[in-house]
Amino acid sequence: MYEKVAKDKFNKLHEEYDRRDILILSIESSCDETSIAVLKNGREILSNVISSQIDIHKKFGGVVPEIASRNHLMAISGVLQEALTLAKVKLTDIDAIAVTYGAGLLGALLVGVSFAKALAYALEIPLIRVNHILGHMSANYISHTDLKSPYICAIISGGHTALLKVKDLDRFELLGTTTDDAIGEAYDKVAKVLGLPYPGGPIVDANAKLGERNIIFVKKSALRNSFNFSFSGLKTAVINYIHKMKQKGQEISVYDVCASFQYEAMEELMTKAIRACKKYNIDKLSLAGGVSANSYLRSELSKRCEQEKIKLYYPPLVLCTDNAAMIGAEAYNSIITGKNLSGLDLSVDSGMHLKNTNRN
Ligand code: KG4
Ligand code: ZN
């Protein structure tokens, strides 16, 4: 019974999306942020409440999955109330529920997905499944309503690194991906070995500003002629450098290590992203994922893109790292394309990859 009602309502939303206002309540719980947002027409944020567990996981040097699940469970009802209050809407005003079902931590995803199912069932409204990685990409549609395909997108987060040619709202070509670590993962690991707290990205970013780029870690990237990435070699070279310096009893400049590591990591990314734009004759480039918050990347790539006459898009800081508003934006794309309606049998997909999405 629920499934039929939800399907009819979803079809109606798909048919009428350009003629009426649609309110989506979206849920994100894939890692260490419990977030719920209310979006009007997938682009206007009425509320975007983010309850971060960073301080809880900091003392362990990274996210502890079981602790993350428990804290999602404790936070989610309060986050929902706050999201509704800030948006000044009632649950009965909502047209559809959207939820991240992968990629991410299994137990953490299960909390969001179970909560979303219960809401959709109780309210008798459609449940839309959202791929977290595509959610990051769609954060740009909120802040840049002029962004239209085709464009190149660099997905740079703690779990993923990829270059895509976006052809349409639901079609893309995967040009390259990381062969080992994600770029954010490399930031986090380098920070850890330098004794800096989790998450490493923002701290390495800040420290790099105070340092000199005077250490060469990897002379030539092995993948320089492809659109694939490798960050594990660079990360290992940084770790080896630190160990060697310690063995010799020499002082390490944390600032210089951060500046030099960041330069090499970002060079790999920026060169390939610009090369992809040129190869496919595309003059738009977007950044998506936590690492797009990086201040050096935002300023340096802006300069280079201006020289190359490429328009660069990146989300405001709050939409770079994990948040539910981006999940709502991507769910709205699904309403436009009429895809990704889910039943109550929706399961989580912890190890989801971009090549497994229906956007190929
Ligand atoms: O997208 P995100 O919030 O979670 C995943 O989906 O992975 O990305 C988190 C990653 C972490 O690795 C974090 O260190 C990195 O984004 N990050 C940064 C910065 N802010 C967050 N990396 C470099 N510079 C930053 N300013
Ligand atoms: Zn993320």
Side-chain angles (χ1 to χ4, degrees):
M1 181 63 188
Y2 160 77
E3 316 262 312
K4 169 142 184 18
V5 174
K7 193 169 180 210
D8 290 346
K9 285 189 179 172
F10 183 77
N11 289 340
K12 211 152 183 272
L13 293 177
H14 170 59
E15 279 158 23
E16 296 177 356
Y17 76 88
D18 54 352
R19 276 174 274 145
R20 55 165 285 197
D21 285 338
I22 295 178
L23 288 185
I24 300 175
L25 185 132
S26 49
I27 302 173
E28 156 63 39
S29 71
S30 65
C31 191
D32 55 351
E33 262 91 32
T34 320
S35 180
I36 297 187
V38 179
L39 262 72
K40 186 169 154 189
N41 301 329
R43 306 296 183 250
E44 190 185 328
I45 300 177
L46 303 187
S47 64
N48 184 26
V49 179
I50 305 167
S51 165
S52 176
Q53 301 178 15
I54 285 182
D55 287 340
I56 297 169
H57 297 282
K58 225 171 207 162
K59 51 181 167 293
F60 303 103
V63 180
V64 184
E66 186 53 30
I67 296 177
S69 317
R70 283 167 196 265
N71 280 284
H72 283 306
L73 210 50
M74 288 192 282
I76 200 158
S77 299
V79 171
L80 172 68
Q81 284 317 319
E82 202 181 332
L84 292 169
T85 307
L86 288 176
K88 298 192 178 65
V89 299
K90 299 187 293 298
L91 269 179
T92 45
D93 298 328
I94 302 295
D95 294 297
I97 303 290
V99 67
T100 303
Y101 75 113
L105 303 169
L106 192 80
L109 288 165
L110 271 171
V111 175
V113 168
S114 310
F115 199 75
K117 281 183 194 175
L119 281 174
Y121 183 64
L123 298 167
E124 293 195 303
I125 55 175
L127 174 66
I128 302 171
R129 62 178 179 273
V130 176
N131 174 336
H132 179 83
I133 313 161
L134 300 183
H136 273 301
M137 234 163 87
S138 289
N140 280 297
Y141 292 126
I142 301 174
S143 40
H144 307 289
T145 43
D146 63 321
L147 176 61
K148 299 263 164 0
S149 42
Y151 62 91
I152 300 291
C153 177
I155 296 183
I156 41 176
S157 73
H160 295 86
T161 306
L163 269 182
L164 307 178
K165 182 172 151 194
V166 182
K167 299 175 176 173
D168 213 334
L169 276 186
D170 67 343
R171 272 187 326 126
F172 64 70
E173 188 183 330
L174 189 60
L175 304 178
T177 184
T178 181
T179 53
D180 39 57
D181 290 358
I183 185 165
E185 196 180 347
Y187 265 86
D188 293 338
K189 287 180 179 165
V190 163
K192 199 168 185 178
V193 70
L194 284 170
L196 302 170
Y198 172 84
I203 298 176
V204 171
D205 184 1
N207 279 332
K209 285 191 187 131
L210 306 170
E212 295 288 328
R213 177 166 52 83
N214 53 14
I215 312 159
I216 297 171
F217 292 117
V218 179
K219 287 202 178 68
K220 258 187 193 168
S221 158
L223 298 168
R224 62 192 170 281
N225 295 323
S226 91
F227 286 125
N228 285 329
F229 299 94
S230 168
F231 294 102
S232 158
L234 171 59
K235 173 201 68 187
T236 309
V238 176
I239 295 172
N240 288 345
Y241 169 86
I242 293 167
H243 287 164
K244 261 192 217 143
M245 293 292 279
K246 277 189 182 158
Q247 270 166 7
K248 286 196 234 159
Q250 289 179 355
E251 207 174 303
I252 300 162
S253 163
V254 172
Y255 299 147
D256 292 351
V257 172
C258 289
S260 306
F261 157 76
Q262 174 158 283
Y263 172 79
E264 287 189 27
M266 290 306 186
E267 231 15 65
E268 166 108 349
L269 175 72
M270 290 190 289
T271 327
K272 287 181 181 175
I274 290 182
R275 185 150 52 79
C277 289
K278 289 184 149 178
K279 176 168 178 192
Y280 294 100
N281 207 11
I282 290 177
D283 62 358
K284 281 174 274 176
L285 170 63
S286 83
L287 304 178
V291 182
S292 46
N294 186 270
S295 62
Y296 170 74
L297 175 67
R298 289 161 91 100
S299 73
E300 183 61 27
L301 191 56
S302 294
K303 279 187 231 153
R304 294 191 197 185
C305 282
E306 206 178 316
Q307 278 163 9
E308 302 290 347
K309 305 214 169 359
I310 295 167
K311 184 152 189 219
L312 179 65
Y313 297 84
Y314 47 74
L317 287 178
V318 68
L319 298 182
C320 285
T321 43
D322 292 350
N323 68 89
M326 68 185 198
I327 303 304
E330 174 60 15
Y332 187 72
N333 293 348
S334 293
I335 288 176
I336 296 175
T337 56
K339 292 178 181 166
N340 298 317
L341 172 69
S342 280
L344 297 175
D345 56 352
L346 173 66
S347 51
V348 301
D349 186 352
S350 168
M352 179 187 282
H353 286 291
L354 279 171
K355 20 179 185 304
N356 297 335
T357 72
N358 59 1
R359 283 202 167 198
N360 285 311

